[in-house]
């Protein structure tokens, strides 16, 4: 089998073997082997009888794997060697011909690129489902007022639809990042051999077409040593997970008694083992808690690639666990976010009540002064003084009398009825007429744009 005559130290085998995690690549490995065998026969490198024997053997191996009765052996180092061993047991010595014009180096890069491509596509589908749910919930709640926050302090009122759409756009960008990751995994490594190309007149284009690659990798050294398509997936996944964590964090806050803005669906919440009154937002907390691990996978993969001499090095085997865990975590958390959002019920009254805190109209009052000719900085100072005075005497802004207004701004005092109109709730929201703002007309415009973006994401 190799030039070494000693059997491996048991711990070396444990360190070196990747079968425990790369066995999930068996569908890609079989598809690749079939395409490779067909191409070799078409080029006259294998006979058609050999090809047919290999294809029949691969079918038998596939049945064992898909029915979960494939017997892995102690000595199987990785999925590629396990499949080849079993193929040779089933088909006889012809099994050994499959590796003609192929190295495990281009083989593993090809399996992984196929896998990354599929999962990048799956991520786009899952993100589109989340975008669709966000859009539906935003449409339903387009005109529900709630406080918008900065520093987690009530800042300016917005519509709930507007707030939900903020997430829609984040995930729309994530969708684009996964489309890019899919594109980047679209060049076929196979045919690069160990690193320099192979000694046979193969047809890489044929294999690429059969396996759905849009092109062949242009350089054999790059083909076996490049893993930036993994970095692209992980980068997209890390950003998406970070977005999910913000959504999760808000659901945790909003479902607390302190906020009381929403009630999470029972199927996405847990009870407490000791406190019977509790309903815990575990799924939302895990959206928050899983994000750093995704960023960790990205950082770790950069670490693996950093300063790695060309071409293949065993370090590259580390690509898989980072990618696989990121895929599993991302797909699960996207499904959880979509499920939770579909089932969450928002509390209109609680949100309205929080949004009717007049202090959050302070900016609007300052802007009223600006429209009346006062420079913004001066207006800001006058309103800040008025807010302080109102808080000191425990009054609302609308309860401040003419002399109190006059103490801070003669202009405000002279326009008391406009002050009152500005302090009525709907005016704070409806005055945000700028493009991308929270006025209902702008939100409706945004809903239309979001619908078009979703349709395009689904078509692409
Ligand atoms: N299990 C290996 C990996 O995942 C396959 C490639 C092995 N190639 C080699 N030259 N040892 O990277």
């Amino acid at each position: 089998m190799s030039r070494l005559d000693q059997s491996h130290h048991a711990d070396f085998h444990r360190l070196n073997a990747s079968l425990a995690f790369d066995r999930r690549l068996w569908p890609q490995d079989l598809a690749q082997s079939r395409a490779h065998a067909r191409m070799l026969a078409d080029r006259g490198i294998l006979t058609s009888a050999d090809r047919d024997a290999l294809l029949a053997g691969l079918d038998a191996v596939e049945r064992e794997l898909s029915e979960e009765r494939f017997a892995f052996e102690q000595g199987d180092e990785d999925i590629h060697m396990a499949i080849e061993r079993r193929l040779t047991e089933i088909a006889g010595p012809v099994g050994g011909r499959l590796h003609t014009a192929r190295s495990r180096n281009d083989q593993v890069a090809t399996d992984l690129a196929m896998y990354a491509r599929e999962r990048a596509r799956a991520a786009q589908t899952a993100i589109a489902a989340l975008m669709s749910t966000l859009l539906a919930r935003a449409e339903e709640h387009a005109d529900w007022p709630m406080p918008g926050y900065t520093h987690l302090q009530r800042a300016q009122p917005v519509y709930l639809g507007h707030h939900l759409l903020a997430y829609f756009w984040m995930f729309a960008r994530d969708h684009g990042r996964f489309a890019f990751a899919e594109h980047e995994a679209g060049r076929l490594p196979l045919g690069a051999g160990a690193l320099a190309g192979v000694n046979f007149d193969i047809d890489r284009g044929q294999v690429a077409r059969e396996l759905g690659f849009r092109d062949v990798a242009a350089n054999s050294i790059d083909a076996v040593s490049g893993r930036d398509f993994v970095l692209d997936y992980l980068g997209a996944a890390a950003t998406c997970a970070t977005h999910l964590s913000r959504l999760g964090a808000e659901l945790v806050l909003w479902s607390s008694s302190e906020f009381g803005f929403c009630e999470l669906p029972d199927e996405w919440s847990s009870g407490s083992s000791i406190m019977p009154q509790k309903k815990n937002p575990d799924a939302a907390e895990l959206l928050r808690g899983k994000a750093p691990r995704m960023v960790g996978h990205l950082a770790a993969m950069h670490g693996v690639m950093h300063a790695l001499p060309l071409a293949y090095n065993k370090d590259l085997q580390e690509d898989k666990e980072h990618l696989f865990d990121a895929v599993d975590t991302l797909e699960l958390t996207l499904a959880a976010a979509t499920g939770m959002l579909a089932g969450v019920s928002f509390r209109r009254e609680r949100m309205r009540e929080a949004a009717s805190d007049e202090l959050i109209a302070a900016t609007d009052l300052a802007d009223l002064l600006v429209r009346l000719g006062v420079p913004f900085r001066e207006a800001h100072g006058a309103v800040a003084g008025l807010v302080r005075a109102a808080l000191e005497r425990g009054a609302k802004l609308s309860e401040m009398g003419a002399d109190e207004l006059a103490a801070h701004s003669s202009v405000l005092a002279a326009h008391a009825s406009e002050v009152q109109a500005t302090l009525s709730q709907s005016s704070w929201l409806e005055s945000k007429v700028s493009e991308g703002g929270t006025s209902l007309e702008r939100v409706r415009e945004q809903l239309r744009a979001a619908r078009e973006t979703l349709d395009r994401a689904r078509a692409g």
Side-chain angles (χ1 to χ4, degrees):
M1 199 65 180
S2 85
R3 76 181 193 91
L4 310 176
D5 52 16
Q6 288 210 327
S7 64
H8 287 157
H9 191 289
D11 286 343
F12 172 64
H13 180 73
R14 289 204 303 139
L15 175 66
N16 195 41
S18 52
L19 182 65
F21 46 87
D22 69 14
R23 62 176 69 190
R24 76 163 72 187
L25 293 175
W26 68 260
Q28 290 78 14
D29 207 64
L30 290 177
Q32 169 189 163
S33 289
R34 287 183 175 117
H36 185 61
R38 284 191 195 106
M39 182 276 290
L40 290 178
D42 290 352
R43 303 298 289 173
I45 300 165
L46 286 184
T47 65
S48 44
D50 284 347
R51 176 200 56 207
D52 294 344
L54 288 172
L55 292 177
L58 289 168
D59 286 349
V61 170
E62 175 165 41
R63 281 193 293 278
E64 293 187 1
L65 281 162
S66 62
E67 290 160 17
E68 288 177 29
R69 51 187 180 77
F70 185 104
F72 289 101
E73 285 182 3
Q74 186 53 38
D76 291 339
E77 184 182 312
D78 57 25
I79 189 65
H80 324 289
M81 294 178 88
I83 289 177
E84 188 178 326
R85 170 190 59 75
R86 186 68 189 128
L87 175 67
T88 306
E89 285 167 9
I90 294 172
V94 68
R97 292 190 190 276
L98 181 61
H99 217 50
T100 309
R102 183 170 77 170
S103 153
R104 258 193 306 157
N105 296 351
D106 56 350
Q107 183 178 2
V108 70
T110 301
D111 285 354
L112 202 66
M114 289 169 71
Y115 179 84
R117 209 155 31 88
E118 279 170 34
R119 294 343 292 171
R121 182 120 276 282
Q124 290 167 70
T125 305
I127 290 172
L130 175 57
M131 287 163 67
S132 163
T133 301
L134 277 164
L135 180 54
R137 304 307 319 254
E139 265 158 1
E140 276 171 59
H141 302 90
D143 61 353
W144 288 30
M146 61 169 276
Y149 295 84
T150 64
H151 311 271
L152 205 56
Q153 309 285 319
R154 287 177 189 165
Q156 292 181 347
V158 294
Y159 288 119
L160 175 55
H162 192 55
H163 192 98
L164 292 173
L165 282 170
Y167 284 104
F168 176 93
W169 297 113
M170 291 182 226
F171 292 116
R173 294 191 295 277
D174 290 332
H175 188 278
R177 276 182 271 271
F178 278 107
F180 177 76
E182 182 190 353
H183 182 263
E184 285 303 297
R187 295 178 205 92
L188 176 74
L190 201 67
L195 80 161
V198 299
N199 297 322
F200 297 89
D201 184 21
I202 57 174
D203 183 349
R204 297 181 68 204
Q206 174 179 337
V207 176
R209 282 189 296 282
E210 178 167 344
L211 296 179
F213 287 91
R214 69 171 197 288
D215 206 352
V216 302
N219 179 297
S220 60
I221 298 175
D222 182 33
V224 290
S225 61
R227 292 290 186 276
D228 36 283
F229 64 84
V230 176
L231 290 174
D232 290 331
Y233 180 97
L234 292 176
T239 304
C240 184
T242 296
H243 289 158
L244 287 169
S245 79
R246 303 185 76 174
L247 176 63
E250 292 207 321
L251 290 174
V252 172
L253 282 173
W254 288 14
S255 62
S256 68
S257 324
E258 280 69 14
F259 272 80
F261 284 3
C262 71
E263 166 115 23
L264 291 175
D266 285 0
E267 18 163 13
W268 291 100
S269 311
S270 321
S272 157
S273 55
I274 176 164
M275 296 163 284
Q277 84 284 10
K278 289 196 69 190
K279 177 168 173 184
N280 294 330
D282 294 43
E285 291 169 292
L286 285 167
L287 292 188
R288 195 172 60 183
K290 293 283 187 192
R293 143 199 202 132
M294 304 287 270
V295 179
H297 288 312
L298 173 64
M301 192 60 203
H302 272 288
V304 169
M305 301 302 290
H306 166 78
L308 193 64
L310 303 180
Y312 180 85
N313 298 271
K314 198 59 178 267
D315 312 45
L316 291 174
Q317 180 166 283
E318 286 291 306
D319 56 6
K320 287 169 210 63
E321 285 169 289
H322 295 302
L323 179 61
F324 295 165
D325 185 73
V327 165
D328 295 343
T329 306
L330 183 83
E331 293 182 3
L332 191 55
T333 48
L334 280 171
T338 306
M340 258 189 292
L341 277 172
V344 68
S345 47
F346 294 101
R347 297 234 178 93
R348 187 170 204 150
E349 278 320 308
R350 283 293 293 227
M351 289 186 147
R352 189 208 302 279
E353 196 189 317
S356 64
D357 176 350
E358 274 180 8
L359 290 180
I360 68 183
T363 315
D364 301 77
L365 220 46
D367 284 346
L368 170 65
L369 282 174
V370 169
R371 272 193 296 277
L372 294 169
V374 179
F376 180 77
R377 276 294 149 225
E378 202 180 300
H380 182 277
V383 175
L386 185 68
V387 165
R388 210 177 319 116
L391 287 174
E392 268 163 21
R393 102 162 159 83
K396 296 209 239 166
L397 288 175
S398 56
E399 291 163 2
M400 298 299 271
D403 45 339
E404 284 170 309
L405 289 181
H408 297 280
S409 160
S410 55
V411 182
L412 278 184
H415 294 84
S417 65
E418 278 152 280
V419 169
Q420 289 305 327
T422 302
L423 290 176
S424 82
Q425 192 187 355
S426 61
S427 81
W428 321 332
L429 282 146
E430 284 309 312
S431 56
K432 299 296 184 301
V433 291
S434 54
E435 216 178 312
T438 200
S439 72
L440 198 52
E441 202 185 313
R442 290 303 192 179
V443 171
R444 297 233 179 273
E445 185 176 275
Q446 218 188 127
L447 286 167
R448 285 191 294 277
R451 170 71 51 204
E452 276 167 31
T453 299
L454 177 60
D455 289 346
R456 238 178 294 121
R458 279 187 164 146

